Amino acid sequence: MKHNNKKIKSIVREKYSRVAISSESGCSKECCSGLLNPAEIASYGETLGYEKDRIAMELNKANLGLGCGNPLAIADLKEGEVVLDLGSGAGFDVFLAAKSVGGKGYVIGVDMTSEMVAIARKNAEELKVSNCEFRLGEIENLPVDDDFVDVVVSNCVINLSPDKRAVYREILRVLRPGGRISISDVLRSGEIPREIKDDPSAYTG
């Protein structure tokens, strides 16, 4: 069964809006049973290769434990580079990237959920990270100019898109010549059962 892309996007947007709202209100278990508590997030982050002190520093509501890897571990970010984070959520990877590229560099986070963008902007202000910004937009139609960024990173987000070809076309459009891609995501290693394929809510399962 081929799902309607708008329906899938609506499901994804609604799910992560609830996650954002619940993280702000402190009732995350009610809306997203998969969310981890701060201690679990720190432990999980270390497993993924994040430095312990950095995790603690950025834990201030910026890390909701929604990633599935560490795209920054292989991004080889350099001072002065412009970085784009696809599906930036509350800003965890953006803030770490901003530290790596320094004051002459810049990081843009794009997220389709207005609630997440609002939280990320609030976190940036509280953490006093000035070399970054968060934009509301879809990764299939990025609000970023052509040939504008040096590195594109993404942490467990592209799998949520119903049109992955469009995502990669956009990545190629915004990357400068010689730019790099660093993605951590989930991959299918076997056949997906029909009942899951036919369930659009499985995109966020």
Side-chain angles (χ1 to χ4, degrees):
M1 178 186 296
K2 188 172 179 62
H3 301 304
N4 181 289
N5 284 1
K6 287 186 178 180
K7 181 177 182 180
I8 292 172
K9 284 187 178 182
S10 176
I11 289 171
V12 172
R13 183 178 286 109
E14 181 183 349
K15 167 68 176 287
Y16 286 93
S17 292
R18 291 201 313 269
V19 171
I21 292 168
S22 65
S23 72
E24 284 284 87
S25 63
C27 61
S28 60
K29 294 296 181 183
E30 174 187 341
C31 299
C32 181
S33 59
L35 282 182
L36 307 174
N37 64 46
E40 290 171 326
I41 290 172
S43 176
Y44 181 51
E46 284 186 78
T47 302
L48 299 177
Y50 288 103
E51 296 173 24
K52 187 174 182 178
D53 60 336
R54 284 183 141 192
I55 297 169
M57 178 185 69
E58 309 298 352
L59 199 59
N60 183 23
K61 293 188 179 181
N63 187 356
L64 301 182
L66 298 172
C68 60
N70 180 1
L72 303 182
I74 58 172
D76 191 28
L77 299 182
K78 299 175 177 61
E79 282 197 44
E81 288 189 316
V82 178
V83 180
L84 171 64
D85 183 13
L86 306 184
S88 48
F92 182 65
D93 284 318
V94 167
F95 301 138
L96 294 179
K99 183 174 182 180
S100 294
V101 300
K104 293 183 179 180
Y106 200 71
V107 186
I108 301 167
V110 172
D111 202 280
M112 72 185 295
T113 309
S114 58
E115 291 85 355
M116 283 291 190
V117 170
I119 290 173
R121 288 171 177 168
K122 179 180 177 183
N123 287 336
E125 185 175 345
E126 290 180 357
L127 292 166
K128 296 180 171 55
V129 181
S130 59
N131 62 330
C132 72
E133 68 172 291
F134 295 91
R135 300 178 183 178
L136 181 64
E138 298 181 350
I139 60 176
E140 301 89 353
N141 186 25
L142 290 166
V144 179
D145 291 340
D146 295 354
D147 304 324
F148 190 74
V149 304
D150 299 296
V151 187
V152 172
V153 301
S154 186
N155 195 344
C156 211
V157 172
I158 296 177
N159 73 88
L160 299 171
S161 171
D163 190 353
K164 295 169 182 58
R165 289 182 182 274
V167 175
Y168 283 100
R169 281 196 297 268
E170 282 293 273
I171 289 173
L172 293 175
R173 178 182 66 79
V174 302
L175 273 177
R176 291 171 178 160
R180 308 188 304 283
I181 303 170
S182 181
I183 294 169
S184 173
D185 219 314
V186 293
L187 298 172
R188 177 170 63 89
S189 60
E191 191 58 37
I192 298 174
R194 174 56 58 186
E195 61 268 22
I196 295 178
K197 283 184 177 180
D198 290 347
D199 180 7
S201 66
Y203 266 81
T204 62

